[in-house]
Amino acid sequence: MAGNRAVAYKGPGTVEVIEIDYPTFELKDGPGVNPANVGRKVPHGVILKTVATNICGSDQHMVRGRTTAPPDLVLGHEITGEVVETGPDVEFVRKGDLVSVPFNISCGRCRNCKARRTEICLNVNPDRPGSAYGYVDMGGWVGGQAEYVLVPYADWNCLVFPDRDQAMEKILDLAMLSDILPTGYHGAYSAGVTTGSTVYVAGAGPVGLAAAASAQLLGASVVVVGDFNAERLAQARSFGCETIDLAKGQPHEQMEQVIGDPFVDAAVDAVGFEAKGHEGKEAPATVLNSVMMVADAGAAVGIPGLYVTGDPGGVDESAKRGALSLDFGTGWAKALSFVTGQTPVMKYHRDLMKAILRDRLHIAKAVNAEVISLDDAPRGYAEFDKGAARKYVIDAHGSLG
């Protein structure tokens, strides 16, 4: 039987490559596994040989010690791989298929899945609706920053690429289908971006850049990206975005100079709860408040940025339980709409795959994808944490050249 190596969280600021068990079609006890899921049979699953698995900003929240993630939790929820084994109940996915896996695990059977709300599946996490690979409080499904990974409900969860050779030619773009591209697209789409829209995206990390590229795909006339990080702002400008340096003031204070109007038609929060204010101090509600200020009356705000119910490193007791000081009166007075929560990846990933395969979207270039080895993952985490304007793609088997 093959071995298995994986990237694991060891403690605040530390990840290591460790040896773990090769997957089987049964959930075993381990770090972060919900006791109610231990022993759960997975005859509907497949085992993937990982081709590409990405480091995500959501992973960084755990690595910084900002969640209750236990040591040795295997990380990684952005998974692209080759099917090497199929469970006895798998009917349509076949050995040798190259597939993208949505980060949110779903059963395809519950009422929410049937309504395309796969981000709040009722059957995969005993604690609450919604699940994900390698993430704290998400049921304990082992993460995909590994050589091999188990994917449950494979006929439902696996997006099979129609032509393997064509897919490998565009594999870095397709590797973004598991999370950041649908997540960025969801942020723009749920904010109502359409032909001619003016759009503000808060945050120039990979999800923010994906939201900006998605807004362009949806027909925005101008996309403005705001951040403190000069390198990341330069990356946004590289594919046609306007930018705002937040060190020079709030978005609503600078927007008119950029687009000739102080307000935008749609706004996206791609930052989340570890946001920082202008003094450089953490202020978890600052981005939400700033996008409400810059959004026009009647606009919508997409919020793909992560907010949590428990943050041990929160700046105060309220922040530690996810309670934020929102200027909600502004949102109410403007009649703003908000869309929050995990992205229902399946709602978008097939059409986004077609956009990639037809050369409508070059998302790997937009987010500045960089391939690293599994052994180099700790370096990738460290550089990403320091603000590198790159999206790190782990090549677990040396198959990306």
Side-chain angles (χ1 to χ4, degrees), residues 45-268:
V46 298
I47 295 171
L48 298 185
K49 179 181 178 181
T50 306
V51 172
T53 178
N54 313 333
I55 296 175
C56 180
S58 298
D59 298 321
Q60 289 284 21
H61 295 306
M62 290 188 290
V63 172
R64 293 185 189 117
R66 299 300 295 269
T67 72
T68 56
D72 288 328
L73 180 78
V74 174
L75 300 166
H77 53 268
E78 301 189 17
I79 306 165
T80 308
E82 176 189 353
V83 177
V84 292
E85 292 187 50
T86 61
D89 291 351
V90 176
E91 187 174 0
F92 303 112
V93 176
R94 295 180 173 86
K95 184 176 179 179
D97 282 344
L98 191 62
V99 303
S100 175
V101 180
F103 79 88
N104 31 31
I105 304 166
S106 56
C107 71
R109 295 155 165 80
C110 71
R111 68 175 186 270
N112 287 345
C113 285
K114 290 177 180 179
R116 301 181 78 192
R117 298 299 306 274
T118 54
E119 81 280 19
I120 45 174
C121 173
L122 300 173
N123 290 331
V124 287
N125 183 357
D127 279 341
R128 62 189 186 200
S131 186
Y133 302 89
Y135 214 85
V136 60
D137 298 331
M138 288 292 184
W141 300 89
V142 178
Q145 287 174 16
E147 293 174 323
Y148 298 91
V149 63
L150 171 69
V151 175
Y153 302 102
D155 284 327
W156 170 254
N157 281 310
C158 290
L159 174 66
V160 179
F161 298 139
D163 184 295
R164 183 187 179 90
D165 291 339
Q166 182 190 28
M168 286 304 297
E169 290 176 3
K170 299 179 180 293
I171 193 63
L172 286 186
D173 292 302
L174 295 171
M176 306 304 158
L177 288 172
S178 54
D179 182 358
I180 68 158
L181 177 54
T183 295
Y185 188 91
H186 179 61
Y189 181 86
S190 58
V193 177
T194 187
T195 305
S197 296
T198 57
V199 184
Y200 174 63
V201 177
V207 170
L209 296 173
S214 297
Q216 293 173 337
L217 185 66
L218 286 163
S221 61
V222 61
V223 180
V224 183
V225 179
D227 205 300
F228 292 97
N229 185 314
E231 185 183 1
R232 289 181 170 182
L233 290 175
Q235 184 62 30
R237 289 192 295 272
S238 75
F239 59 96
C241 298
E242 300 291 337
T243 58
I244 284 177
D245 181 353
L246 296 179
K248 298 177 180 178
Q250 292 279 4
H252 70 277
E253 297 169 342
Q254 301 187 62
M255 190 62 68
E256 189 165 13
Q257 296 174 309
V258 178
I259 67 170
D261 192 317
F263 303 111
V264 293
D265 301 318
V268 179

Side-chain angles (χ1 to χ4, degrees), residues 371-382:
V371 177
I372 60 175
S373 69
L374 191 69
D375 289 316
D376 234 5
R379 174 182 68 84
Y381 270 96

Side-chain angles (χ1 to χ4, degrees), residues 312-384:
V315 293
D316 53 36
E317 290 305 313
S318 293
K320 288 178 181 179
R321 56 187 174 85
L324 309 181
S325 298
L326 290 178
D327 295 336
F328 196 72
T330 298
W332 191 94
K334 287 186 168 184
L336 301 178
S337 301
F338 302 89
V339 177
T340 67
Q342 286 188 41
T343 295
V345 170
M346 281 190 195
K347 183 175 180 180
Y348 309 110
H349 69 170
R350 185 174 298 277
D351 288 339
L352 290 170
M353 174 188 72
K354 291 188 288 186
I356 289 169
L357 294 177
R358 296 290 182 180
D359 287 323
R360 290 291 312 282
L361 184 61
H362 301 281
I363 187 63
K365 184 177 181 181
V367 301
N368 197 21
E370 178 177 323
V371 177
I372 60 175
S373 69
L374 191 69
D375 289 316
D376 234 5
R379 174 182 68 84
Y381 270 96
E383 291 181 0
F384 189 34

